[in-house]
Amino acid sequence: MKHSLPFHPQRGMKWLVVFLGLLLCNTIIQGKSKAPTGVRNLAEFTVSGRVTDAETQEVLIGSTVLIKGTSQGVTTDINGNYSIAVPDQNAILVFEFVGYDKQEVLVGNQTKIDITLKSSALELSQVVVVGYGSTNKKDMTGSAKSIKNDDFNRGIINSPEQLLQGKVAGVNVTSATGEPGGRQSITIRGPGGVRTGSTPLFVLDGLALDNSGTGGNTNPLTFLNPQDIESIDVLKDASATAIYGSRGANGVVLITTKKGKSGFSGMTYTGSLGISGMANPLDLFTADEYRQEVAKVGGVLEDLGEDTDWQKEISRTAITRNHNLSLSGGANKLTYYGSFGLQQQEGILKGNDLNLYTGRLNISQKFLDDRLQVDVNLNATSTLNERPPIGGMIGSALSANPTYPAYDAATGLPYRYAAGTNPLITLGLEKDITTVNRVIGSITPSLTLAKGLVYKLNFGIDNATSTRDLQSLANAVPQQDGRLETITTLNRNRLIENYITYTFDNDVHGLTALAGHSYQKIFLQGRNSSINKFPISPIEPIYNPGLGQELTLANNRPGGYALINELQSFFGRVNYQFHDKYLLTATVRADGSSKFGENNKYGIFPSVSAGWRISEESFMKGGIFSDLKLRAGWGQTGNQEIPSKITQPLFTSTVSGTTSYPLADTGPFPAGTTFTRLANPDIQWEVSNQIDIGLDFALFNGALSGTIDYFNKVSNNILLEVIPADPVQPASSIWTNVENMEITNQGVELELNYRKRFANGFKFEVGGNVTFIDNIVENSPYTVIPSGSAQGSGLTSATINGYVNGQPIGTFFLREFTGFDDKGLSTYRDTDGDGVVSDKDRISAGSALPNRMYNFNTVFTFKGFDLRANFNGVAGNMVYDNTANTNFYKLRLSKGINTTREAILFANESVNNAAPVSTRYLKDGAFLRLNNLALNYTFNTEALGINKYVKGLNLSVTGQNLWLSTKYDGYDPEVNNDRSISGISSYGIDYLSYPRAKSVIFGLNVTF
């Protein structure tokens, strides 16, 4: 396998060994070096006190207390108390807390110092993590949003995307399914190119993750314990994401995990018990209704006298148990955070269980008079996901005769009937089990070379292995042969980065310059094997594959694949400030990808942005604005999402009448070698140009704050698979850049937040965001590039939506249903007037992507009580109900198959009418949801007299998905089944989707 980006990661391993050796030696030295008993600085004494809010007098937990000019410090405990040893009376203590103004106090002869901090404009002091560093919100020139763990969504959370839902303007998080651990779809300011999909780049503690799946149908981000996350930062515009080059085309999500704090030591237990049920079952006919409606349409009724709710039979009240134990703390030189997590989640469908085991260790240690700091992060996760045959089980439950019994009264086993399939039998025979083990580790030493000059090395490995077993048990009635298919995958991601940061700051100028190099290598491998004809036996095939009796290449040919993708990058960034009110940021990154040919391997992606803090001008002093900043930026990002190795030639050797030629009078013909793909060295990077103009504001000392952004993103040089123009080209399709094709996303984002505190301790906060977004596809070489297809009897592979010229991404391209003729058969509009209704008459019937997204939240706090509510909604989007298209029409009801009332909606419809793909089943997908409602109570452990042992105690109850307003009559309008075509993402198709749950969760949090 050819490696076109020469690099030697072994050199990085040498650095890793050196720094680990330093870490070990320092630990040993510290363990052996103890100060002689009785020796101490006679001038040293202890200062203690409490830090509180100046307005409400509430304690500020986790405030930092530092001795000025040193790295010595502590943090306040759960009661706001601190205690610190100071060297002498001349020491100055610095008190800081996020969202509050800093205070400095000369110690003098004081031994008790109580401090009250005044609230500042919270948005201004907020720390935002950006690529290869961090900054304050007030100094940002790009569009970004930081969400801290206190503001995360609550409830049963499987992946970080769920924590963000509704929290950031321009970010749309869609659950593809209600299944535990199911995949989430997340878009930042709309999807980009045809092949880029919508998934942003996720960066975990500096390690850029690969978005490839880790096996099975589990979300690859499920490995991360939400309890370990400190903050999530979303970079939205190109000026913020360009530092990540090609990988930032869809935005960047930076996840920072928790770290220990000096001067603090604690252990926290967090546990919860969740109870879940099906939120919105489909309104199928009951047994009595079924008897009446079948008779009305002239169908043959087979009535066994029962009244079975099949949706209830395949579902259950599910229980979720969550246990997390964390330990954190540290001294002057060493801080640590460790956690252990266990989540056992039952799905609301029977036979569905997700078990997640996580462990994390984050260590930071300082050496060489604090000039060297080494950060080590280690995360290990084991996921066990057991799934029933979801689609088949739901499909059988929706169509099963409700007069049939679920169980045989004589045997207690699932009832067997000739017509149709009892979904409970399917449940017992089919099983899908995936085990994923994932370990992510990184070491990041940073060395201060001189004042303001820091060198940092970042070395990380992400290694995921999975085994998926698809098992079918042998059975007599209904008859089926036993089968076992096993799929193994390996995903290994290695990253090594070296970069230098220089910082200079005085009263007039502020400068930060960054330059670095990055190399990332991703190895993907998969294998599959199978065996058939297992006997009926109490031993499941998964435990003894050797019982299978058929192992032929015709039915059980093993398969596999292996890919290596490499990315080498050089990057730089300069941030400049003048008088803390004129801001400038310039970034450039050069990416080289092994996916491209020799002629265009590297792409260069620049960006520039500027900001003007108008509120710092003299003419604005004394006004209502505590902050007013205008910013604007432009930048480019790239896209490399094409199949690996498609730029290289491909050969095949076969023996056939057209490829072989005899080279001897006797003997077999030699194999002939021919091209199946020609070299393609000229294919280039797809490029996105984006501008952003924004206004950040805060009024009344930060009580009212907000942001307005206008963005325009144009992707061109689109990477696309096309039919070759060259008639002698051996491949049926080739990849190329379509130069004139453009995909544009533009829109406006608005965020507002208002907070108020009262002297009696009552606080409230109301916030929200709204996004208006439009996208359009222009100059495509095709009438439609299919991206979503139908499924079901008679519908399979029929195109539902795609990329249509002059229309938004995800546009539904369908025949327009106009009613019925005098025979009761469906009629469709003849758009071209040729007298024949065909695929040429399809119309653009709306998009699966919303053009309006809105979210709002409230927080009410009084004494120890805390009530939070989060709503989110979308509008302007459509959903194609493939489930109704397949199951709910009159012809099926006449055959004795159960349906909803949608099947009898039209009295003049014939029972012989078919239901092809059309706008008949295209429905409004708008909704408003109460996503989260949480009530917490924090006990005063000091008043209870247990503060010596228990520093914090909190009880909570959370409701998840408690209320939904929508016109959509499927399980849920927030749906996105994967019906992609040729790797092009599909949107807005609902086919036998896993129902969404409604949950109530009881929680306990104790800090010792």
Side-chain angles (χ1 to χ4, degrees):
M1 195 171 293
K2 184 178 179 181
H3 299 269
S4 52
L5 294 175
F7 190 77
H8 301 286
Q10 289 82 0
R11 297 174 184 172
M13 290 299 295
K14 291 179 182 178
W15 279 104
L16 175 63
V17 172
V18 169
F19 284 114
L20 283 176
L22 286 171
L23 180 65
L24 179 60
C25 291
N26 184 77
T27 304
I28 294 172
I29 292 170
Q30 287 187 349
K32 292 182 177 180
S33 302
K34 298 182 180 179
T37 305
V39 177
R40 63 185 301 268
N41 183 355
L42 296 178
E44 183 179 285
F45 61 97
T46 300
V47 176
S48 60
R50 174 177 287 189
V51 182
T52 56
D53 182 290
E55 187 175 356
T56 67
Q57 307 306 312
E58 290 188 355
V59 297
L60 298 179
I61 304 166
S63 302
T64 302
V65 185
L66 287 171
I67 300 174
K68 188 174 182 178
T70 74
S71 60
Q72 299 176 15
V74 296
T75 55
T76 57
D77 61 20
I78 198 74
N79 298 308
N81 296 322
Y82 73 93
S83 178
I84 186 171
V86 297
D88 52 47
Q89 295 182 349
N90 296 321
I92 297 176
L93 295 182
V94 181
F95 297 85
E96 291 182 289
F97 190 69
V98 175
Y100 289 77
D101 294 329
K102 178 173 66 176
Q103 268 197 56
E104 296 185 2
V105 178
L106 176 67
V107 172
N109 59 2
Q110 303 175 86
T111 58
K112 184 175 178 60
I113 302 177
D114 292 330
I115 291 294
T116 57
L117 296 181
K118 293 182 179 180
S119 173
S120 63
L122 182 61
E123 290 294 319
L124 301 185
S125 60
Q126 189 180 66
V127 176
V128 179
V129 178
V130 295
Y132 307 100
S134 62
T135 186
N136 285 334
K137 175 71 174 177
K138 66 182 180 65
D139 298 327
M140 285 287 298
T141 56
S143 181
K145 177 73 174 181
S146 182
I147 306 296
K148 308 304 180 185
N149 57 359
D150 286 342
D151 297 319
F152 290 160
N153 288 321
R154 314 287 176 87
I156 301 173
I157 303 294
N158 295 123
S159 63
E161 303 103 314
Q162 295 172 290
L163 300 172
L164 284 178
Q165 190 169 38
K167 298 294 184 179
V168 184
V171 177
N172 186 27
V173 179
T174 302
S175 298
T177 170
E179 180 182 358
R183 295 178 181 270
Q184 304 284 317
S185 171
I186 177 171
T187 60
I188 299 176
R189 293 182 168 178
V194 177
R195 290 283 304 188
T196 56
S198 63
T199 305
L201 171 68
F202 286 88
V203 180
L204 175 63
D205 290 328
L207 176 61
L209 302 179
D210 176 33
N211 285 331
S212 300
T214 53
N217 285 277
T218 307
N219 186 337
L221 293 177
T222 300
F223 77 93
L224 192 57
N225 186 347
Q227 296 290 335
D228 290 338
I229 300 176
E230 180 69 28
S231 66
I232 300 178
D233 297 84
V234 182
L235 310 183
K236 296 189 285 186
D237 73 333
S239 65
T241 65
I243 193 68
Y244 287 104
S246 63
R247 293 171 298 176
N250 290 321
V252 180
V253 178
L254 303 166
I255 302 173
T256 303
T257 58
K258 295 178 179 177
K259 307 292 189 293
K261 295 181 179 180
S262 298
F264 175 82
S265 178
M267 179 174 68
T268 300
Y269 167 78
T270 303
S272 64
L273 176 69
I275 304 171
S276 306
M278 192 182 298
N280 300 297
L282 297 187
D283 190 17
L284 296 168
F285 287 133
T286 64
D288 287 341
E289 292 170 338
Y290 172 80
R291 295 180 181 102
Q292 296 172 10
E293 299 302 333
V294 171
K296 286 181 181 179
V297 298
V300 178
L301 176 63
E302 185 177 1
D303 189 351
L304 298 187
E306 296 292 331
D307 186 1
T308 303
D309 185 337
W310 287 105
Q311 291 182 96
K312 279 188 177 181
E313 293 298 333
I314 65 169
S315 62
R316 62 184 174 185
T317 299
I319 303 298
T320 299
R321 301 172 181 84
N322 205 317
H323 304 279
N324 289 277
L325 183 67
S326 65
L327 304 95
S328 65
N332 290 336
K333 301 289 185 180
L334 174 69
T335 61
Y336 64 90
Y337 172 85
S339 73
F340 308 91
L342 163 64
Q343 179 167 299
Q344 297 174 315
Q345 183 178 359
E346 295 178 347
I348 58 173
L349 294 185
K350 293 177 179 178
N352 185 201
D353 295 279
L354 177 69
N355 294 310
L356 182 65
Y357 309 88
T358 63
R360 169 167 287 277
L361 181 62
N362 292 346
I363 298 175
S364 180
Q365 187 158 3
K366 296 178 180 180
F367 306 86
L368 308 178
D369 295 328
D370 298 345
R371 293 173 65 88
L372 174 64
Q373 178 172 316
V374 180
D375 297 320
V376 177
N377 301 309
L378 181 64
N379 187 92
T381 305
S382 180
T383 306
L384 177 62
N385 189 16
E386 183 172 343
R387 309 171 69 240
I390 294 170
M393 193 165 71
I394 293 175
S396 296
L398 297 183
S399 60
N401 186 331
T403 71
Y404 285 0
Y407 295 93
D408 190 317
T411 64
L413 298 175
Y415 187 81
R416 304 177 188 276
Y417 44 87
T421 303
N422 186 333
L424 298 176
I425 294 178
T426 305
L427 174 64
L429 295 178
E430 308 293 330
K431 185 181 292 186
D432 179 351
I433 301 177
T434 301
T435 302
V436 180
N437 294 313
R438 189 168 187 178
V439 178
I440 297 179
S442 66
I443 180 168
T444 309
S446 57
L447 179 64
T448 302
L449 303 174
K451 183 179 179 181
L453 184 63
V454 178
Y455 161 75
K456 181 173 283 190
L457 166 71
N458 181 27
F459 179 75
I461 296 179
D462 177 4
N463 192 86
T465 60
S466 72
T467 301
R468 182 183 186 187
D469 290 309
L470 299 167
Q471 174 181 277
S472 297
L473 296 180
N475 195 59
V477 181
Q479 193 280 328
Q480 74 173 32
D481 292 335
R483 176 177 169 83
L484 175 66
E485 182 177 4
T486 300
I487 304 167
T488 61
T489 60
L490 169 63
N491 187 331
R492 182 179 296 123
N493 172 12
R494 290 190 294 176
L495 173 73
I496 184 165
E497 296 177 316
N498 295 271
Y499 54 98
I500 292 179
T501 305
Y502 175 70
T503 304
F504 171 80
D505 191 17
N506 61 22
D507 294 337
V508 178
H509 305 283
L511 174 69
T512 301
L514 167 77
H517 169 268
S518 174
Y519 173 79
Q520 188 166 22
K521 181 178 181 179
I522 297 170
F523 175 66
L524 305 175
Q525 183 181 24
R527 297 174 182 169
N528 64 279
S529 60
S530 60
I531 186 168
N532 287 355
K533 290 192 180 299
F534 283 83
I536 297 176
S537 167
I539 301 176
E540 296 184 31
I542 192 174
Y543 300 115
N544 190 353
L547 295 178
Q549 299 168 6
E550 180 185 271
L551 187 59
T552 62
L553 291 180
N555 297 320
N556 300 285
R557 179 181 294 275
Y561 63 89
L563 301 172
I564 291 179
N565 297 323
E566 296 173 282
L567 190 69
Q568 179 168 254
S569 308
F570 302 89
F571 55 88
R573 180 176 60 211
V574 175
N575 297 89
Y576 175 71
Q577 301 177 23
F578 181 69
H579 280 299
D580 201 29
K581 54 186 175 182
Y582 307 113
L583 315 171
L584 179 67
T585 302
T587 304
V588 65
R589 181 168 179 131
D591 280 338
S593 172
S594 61
K595 290 187 175 183
F596 291 102
E598 295 298 330
N599 296 345
N600 292 291
K601 191 170 296 296
Y602 280 87
I604 298 176
F605 307 104
S607 76
V608 61
S609 58
W612 176 27
R613 294 195 64 201
I614 306 173
S615 55
E616 295 301 302
E617 299 287 355
S618 58
F619 59 81
M620 292 292 292
K621 297 299 181 182
I624 62 173
F625 287 97
S626 48
D627 181 56
L628 184 63
K629 180 175 67 177
L630 178 66
R631 49 184 169 75
W634 166 88
Q636 289 184 335
T637 53
N639 169 30
Q640 59 159 343
E641 296 307 316
I642 55 177
S644 302
K645 300 183 285 190
I646 61 100
T647 61
Q648 302 174 24
L650 183 65
F651 307 89
T652 185
S653 294
T654 58
V655 177
S656 70
T658 58
T659 61
S660 302
Y661 189 83
L663 299 180
D665 294 336
T666 59
F669 284 16
T673 301
T674 58
F675 279 103
T676 55
R677 181 178 64 217
L678 300 181
N680 188 2
D682 296 322
I683 193 169
Q684 303 176 23
W685 292 78
E686 183 180 303
V687 178
S688 296
N689 290 272
Q690 183 172 343
I691 62 171
D692 184 279
I693 301 173
L695 184 70
D696 301 332
F697 58 88
L699 296 83
F700 316 119
N701 197 31
L704 176 64
S705 61
T707 297
I708 302 173
D709 273 278
Y710 165 78
F711 61 90
N712 185 295
K713 175 183 175 183
V714 180
S715 300
N716 53 32
N717 222 24
I718 301 297
L719 291 167
L720 196 62
E721 188 176 16
V722 301
I723 298 172
D726 185 352
V728 298
Q729 165 67 250
S732 59
S733 63
I734 61 170
W735 285 88
T736 188
N737 297 99
V738 183
E739 295 183 7
N740 297 324
M741 184 177 176
E742 291 186 347
I743 298 175
T744 302
N745 286 274
Q746 65 174 336
V748 176
E749 300 169 349
L750 171 64
E751 288 193 20
L752 285 175
N753 197 73
Y754 179 75
R755 58 177 64 90
K756 178 69 175 176
R757 305 180 182 205
F758 296 90
N760 63 356
F762 178 73
K763 297 185 294 184
F764 76 88
E765 184 174 335
V766 179
N769 61 72
V770 61
T771 303
F772 302 91
I773 183 171
D774 289 305
N775 62 60
I776 188 170
V777 178
E778 296 176 296
N779 302 321
S780 169
Y782 300 106
T783 302
V784 58
I785 302 173
S787 65
S789 63
Q791 192 170 350
S793 178
L795 304 177
T796 301
S797 299
T799 297
I800 292 180
N801 60 6
Y803 291 68
V804 181
N805 268 321
Q807 299 295 328
I809 296 172
T811 291
F812 292 100
F813 196 57
L814 305 166
R815 297 184 197 181
E816 185 178 1
F817 175 72
T818 56
F820 304 96
D821 61 16
D822 54 2
K823 298 179 181 179
L825 303 180
S826 297
T827 58
Y828 307 94
R829 187 157 69 96
D830 180 12
T831 58
D832 60 7
D834 65 355
V836 178
V837 175
S838 65
D839 281 345
K840 294 180 180 179
D841 296 303
R842 289 178 179 242
I843 64 166
S844 299
S847 173
L849 300 182
N851 54 31
R852 299 183 301 281
M853 301 178 289
Y854 55 96
N855 311 274
F856 54 93
N857 57 79
T858 58
V859 181
F860 300 97
T861 304
F862 183 69
K863 304 299 183 180
F865 288 98
D866 176 352
L867 178 65
R868 297 170 182 264
N870 293 295
F871 295 82
N872 68 282
V874 298
N877 62 305
M878 308 296 286
V879 174
Y880 193 82
D881 193 349
N882 195 173
T883 300
N885 193 175
T886 305
N887 294 279
F888 305 147
Y889 55 96
K890 192 174 290 186
L891 175 60
R892 288 176 62 84
L893 182 61
S894 69
K895 294 181 178 181
I897 300 171
N898 200 14
T899 68
T900 63
R901 292 198 170 274
E902 186 169 357
I904 57 171
L905 186 62
F906 302 101
N908 60 333
E909 181 180 7
S910 168
V911 294
N912 296 316
N913 187 42
V917 170
S918 72
T919 59
R920 176 179 178 179
Y921 297 100
L922 189 62
K923 302 176 180 180
D924 189 348
F927 68 87
L928 173 63
R929 186 193 311 277
L930 175 56
N931 190 36
N932 238 245
L933 181 65
L935 176 64
N936 302 273
Y937 182 74
T938 302
F939 291 87
N940 186 333
T941 57
E942 189 172 5
L944 293 175
I946 60 174
N947 60 307
K948 183 177 180 180
Y949 307 102
V950 179
K951 297 177 182 177
L953 177 61
N954 177 278
L955 292 176
S956 65
V957 58
T958 301
Q960 205 168 7
N961 190 32
L962 296 180
W963 175 80
L964 175 68
S965 174
T966 183
K967 295 179 180 179
Y968 186 67
D969 55 2
Y971 279 126
D972 197 282
E974 188 183 326
V975 65
N976 185 23
N977 284 119
D978 183 9
R979 299 299 305 147
S980 59
I981 300 174
S982 300
I984 302 174
S985 299
S986 62
Y987 302 95
I989 299 175
D990 183 4
Y991 181 67
L992 301 179
S993 300
Y994 195 113
R996 189 181 292 267
K998 179 183 295 184
S999 305
V1000 177
I1001 304 99
F1002 302 92
L1004 168 68
N1005 184 289
V1006 186
T1007 300
F1008 301 96

